[in-house]
Amino acid sequence: MDTLVRIGCAAGFAGDRADASLPIIAELARHGGPRFLMFETLAERTLALCQLEKRHDSTRGYSPALARMLPVALGPALSAGIRIVGNFGGANPAGAARRIAEWAQAAGFPAARIAVVEGDDLTASIAREELAARETGGALLAGPGEIVAANVYLGAEGIARALDAGADIVVTGRVADPSLALGPLVHAHGWAWNDWARLADGTLAGHLLECGAQVTGGYFADPDVKDVPGFDEVGYPIVEIAASGAMVVTKPAGTGGLVDRRTVTEQILYEVHDPAAYVTPDVVLDVTGVGLAADGPDRVRVAGAAGKPRPATLKATVFLESGLLGEAEISYAGPNARARARLAGETVAERLRKRAPELALRIDLIGVDSVFGNLAAAAEADPPEVRLRVAAQDRDRARVELMLNEVEALYCAGPAGGAGVRRHLTPRLASASCLIERERVAPRVWFVGDAP
Amino acid sequence: MNRGVEVELYRLAYARTGDKGNRLNIAVVCRAPAYYPVLAAELTAARVARLFAPRNPGKVVRYDLPKLSAFNFVLDDVLQGGVNASLGHDGHGKSLSYFLLTARIRVDPALLAAGDATTV
């Protein structure tokens, strides 16, 4: 009897829904065999923001999703024998693990085994000049700006090792998103690290899971064209996968959303460039031979992935401080709204041209041309409402704040009827990609309670 | 010039974008497999490059996935720097799938009827 492994994914990014795990846990609890709950909560920029937070408080710096998502899932998952794998460690996997240990204790699971996978943070092990020599597609590292974060994408090996050693919960920092699923699969099915065909199947499973609801109707619904039933309670995905690599994508019973040829096809190609060479730390995945077959309601069978040997180098993303991003908006509505919004934008631009000539501005009319910009022809009809948006980036905080103030001042000194000013100031981080030799990277696995 | 009617790509396909830095990919999935040959002929990489010309794409490549009735377009340098550098509010380019779906495609009305009958 072929063992089926079931993996559900309860988060596709740090801002995802905190309660998405509960229907997955309820579904997984109805089955035996190895079952895992995966959380992907660490977009590239999220990790850099974690590093900034850790500078201010060394006990923090884990994914902002951790405290929102994990306490909800922890007790129910552990009760059902479901093991948890997540990259919510962010810049501080050890700190995250300590928080999880506290919650496990409080939930009545003081013996829960919590593993930490580290080794992705390169800031202490690789000098800036060495990173600069390995930068691809640019030369940001040769320029100004302090390094905020430098993390390499680890593969699935550390996760599999942690599960082999009995972890109930595995906390990582930066790992390739599909590796969050491949680690449990290699552990449960005993696949070899050079079995490229199986590693490809597992990586494809992870790729389909890694964005959560994006394979079950999220980032998909389009009324009357791609209708999604029960959209407000979309179920997050579950993949069932056999040791042979045969897999079905589905979702928990009783949830909204849908899984069909369209949702799965769109997600197979999401963020893929050459579909014959999707490079991960574990394997180079080829989806050009993948075919889909319906396998009952909200069940799609996925077959035909191929794998080529893993690359000799690992990708790292380095973030550099690049000042502040300021964004400010104000609305105009009714007759002549577009012309009043345009006058408001010109007014801000003209005043800043004289007062902060170095500041590069972007001025958009939301509702007119802010998204497609000059790709699309301008609409002829006057829109009923227009929102002026002004954005600027600079290392000089005072200059960016001057722009924000100029937009706010439009309330009294700008065109008639200006409404609803909102302003934001956020740190700006430039990103560079580097390729690092595998020998320079060593994943470490340890358990809470053991000496690290 | 082939006869037929001109429709929006939106009538024939679905689309989803993804981003990595300043590189955008747009997956185009045929609403019905019958549309695949039409799009293979009409929606070339050169055509997509022309549609995105105001963004000065460095390179546009089309990858064909006939088993999925889909195409994957990869467009370099069209995200105005990407999510960490663009001053625009869609640095990811998430909305740009719906720009591509406004492309005009000439199609045989009989094929359109056949495709409609088999659309999921």
Side-chain angles (χ1 to χ4, degrees):
Chain A
M1 180 66 198
D2 198 356
T3 303
L4 268 190
V5 176
R6 289 180 170 82
I7 305 176
C9 181
F13 77 120
D16 218 332
R17 293 178 181 153
D19 56 6
S21 60
L22 296 176
I24 296 176
I25 295 168
E27 178 66 39
L28 294 180
R30 282 193 276 274
H31 300 274
R35 292 149 304 151
F36 302 89
L37 182 62
M38 155 181 164
F39 292 85
E40 197 295 284
T41 64
L42 207 57
E44 292 200 332
R45 190 183 139 80
T46 307
L47 179 48
L49 295 175
C50 287
Q51 287 284 10
L52 289 177
E53 187 187 43
K54 191 180 170 189
R55 283 185 188 177
H56 294 117
D57 180 349
S58 63
T59 68
R60 298 185 67 89
Y62 38 79
S63 169
L66 180 73
R68 247 174 11 96
M69 294 181 184
L70 204 60
V72 181
L74 197 57
L78 291 173
S79 301
I82 298 162
R83 301 161 84 181
I84 296 173
V85 179
N87 57 6
F88 25 53
N92 189 1
R98 281 190 285 272
R99 286 301 302 279
I100 296 168
E102 292 165 16
W103 293 325
Q105 176 94 28
F109 296 90
R113 297 267 288 151
I114 302 163
V116 177
V117 177
E118 290 178 323
D120 59 303
D121 187 341
L122 302 178
T123 45
S125 62
I126 301 192
R128 180 174 185 142
E129 308 76 64
E130 292 189 279
L131 290 171
R134 289 162 176 76
E135 185 173 348
T136 59
L140 271 180
L141 287 163
E146 190 191 336
I147 288 181
V148 172
N151 294 76
V152 65
Y153 282 83
L154 299 178
E157 291 190 47
I159 296 167
R161 244 157 65 200
L163 293 167
D164 289 347
D168 297 304
I169 301 156
V170 183
V171 187
T172 78
R174 173 62 71 219
V175 301
D177 296 348
S179 303
L180 294 168
L182 183 61
L185 289 166
V186 168
H187 158 73
H189 282 317
W191 291 340
W193 290 110
N194 61 358
D195 187 349
W196 310 118
R198 293 296 79 75
L199 299 181
D201 290 326
T203 296
L204 178 55
H207 177 64
L208 287 167
L209 287 164
E210 70 178 68
C211 295
Q214 281 195 194
V215 71
T216 57
Y219 198 39
F220 174 86
D222 189 348
D224 299 326
V225 176
K226 296 189 290 184
D227 284 313
V228 177
F231 194 51
D232 59 314
E233 296 290 348
V234 151
Y236 280 52
I238 294 172
V239 171
E240 306 167 354
I241 180 165
S244 64
M247 75 181 97
V248 168
V249 184
T250 184
K251 68 183 187 68
T255 56
L258 84 169
V259 180
D260 68 12
R261 170 188 85 87
R262 303 167 301 169
T263 66
V264 175
T265 302
E266 286 194 17
Q267 190 57 24
I268 285 175
L269 294 172
Y270 180 68
E271 288 183 346
V272 166
H273 298 149
D274 179 356
Y278 183 69
V279 181
T280 79
D282 303 304
V283 65
V284 176
L285 169 64
D286 177 352
V287 299
T288 54
V290 169
L292 308 178
D295 186 60
D298 293 317
R299 292 177 61 84
V300 172
R301 191 163 283 284
V302 182
K308 288 174 272 199
R310 66 185 200 180
T313 52
L314 297 171
K315 181 183 160 185
T317 303
V318 182
F319 279 93
L320 302 162
E321 285 188 334
S322 63
L324 291 158
L325 173 68
E327 299 170 277
E329 298 178 5
I330 184 168
S331 288
Y332 296 88
N336 218 20
R338 178 162 45 178
R340 282 180 286 132
R342 188 165 287 139
L343 172 61
E346 287 163 2
T347 302
V348 169
E350 185 55 22
R351 288 181 58 80
L352 289 171
R353 190 182 64 75
K354 287 180 272 188
R355 289 163 178 82
E358 308 85 351
L359 196 63
L361 290 182
R362 171 161 169 152
I363 297 180
D364 289 313
L365 298 185
I366 296 175
V368 178
D369 61 3
S370 68
V371 183
F372 288 169
N374 61 358
L375 286 173
E380 281 170 29
D382 207 21
E385 301 180 358
V386 179
R387 191 153 174 84
L388 170 72
R389 172 182 182 274
V390 185
Q393 173 182 349
D394 203 283
R395 291 181 190 280
D396 180 347
R397 184 184 191 100
R399 234 181 253 159
V400 181
E401 285 186 337
L402 177 63
M403 181 279 280
L404 300 175
N405 293 339
E406 285 295 333
V407 173
E408 186 160 5
L410 292 169
Y411 263 144
C412 286
V421 171
R422 298 287 185 276
R423 45 188 286 175
H424 302 281
L425 192 60
T426 47
R428 194 66 160 161
L429 297 159
S431 69
S433 289
C434 303
L435 290 175
I436 310 294
E437 307 88 308
R438 266 179 198 279
E439 311 80 74
R440 300 293 301 267
V441 177
R444 293 185 303 279
V445 179
W446 55 274
F447 281 78
V448 172
D450 299 349
Chain B
M1 196 64 212
N2 72 353
R3 302 205 316 277
V5 293
E6 204 179 71
V7 297
E8 271 193 326
L9 177 60
Y10 187 52
R11 175 86 167 67
L12 307 174
Y14 314 116
R16 170 175 300 199
T17 67
D19 68 303
K20 289 266 161 83
N22 202 16
R23 177 180 276 182
L24 176 75
N25 88 291
I26 308 181
V28 173
V29 181
C30 297
R31 288 199 189 196
Y35 299 148
Y36 185 85
V38 178
L39 296 187
E42 297 270 322
L43 197 64
T44 60
R47 174 84 194 279
V48 172
R50 282 199 300 278
L51 288 164
F52 279 86
R55 292 275 184 107
N56 300 312
K59 195 166 100 176
V60 176
V61 179
R62 185 182 84 183
Y63 297 97
D64 296 359
L65 295 118
K67 287 188 77 171
L68 295 172
S69 296
F71 304 91
N72 190 38
F73 292 91
V74 179
L75 295 85
D76 283 0
D77 312 320
V78 295
L79 292 179
Q80 300 167 332
V83 68
N84 293 310
S86 168
L87 287 180
H89 67 161
D90 182 24
H92 293 103
K94 298 239 180 219
S95 66
L96 294 176
S97 49
Y98 277 79
F99 170 67
L100 184 57
L101 289 173
T102 64
R104 308 293 298 181
I105 305 288
R106 191 162 282 282
V107 59
D108 180 345
L111 183 68
L112 215 48
D116 282 351
T118 58
T119 295
V120 182

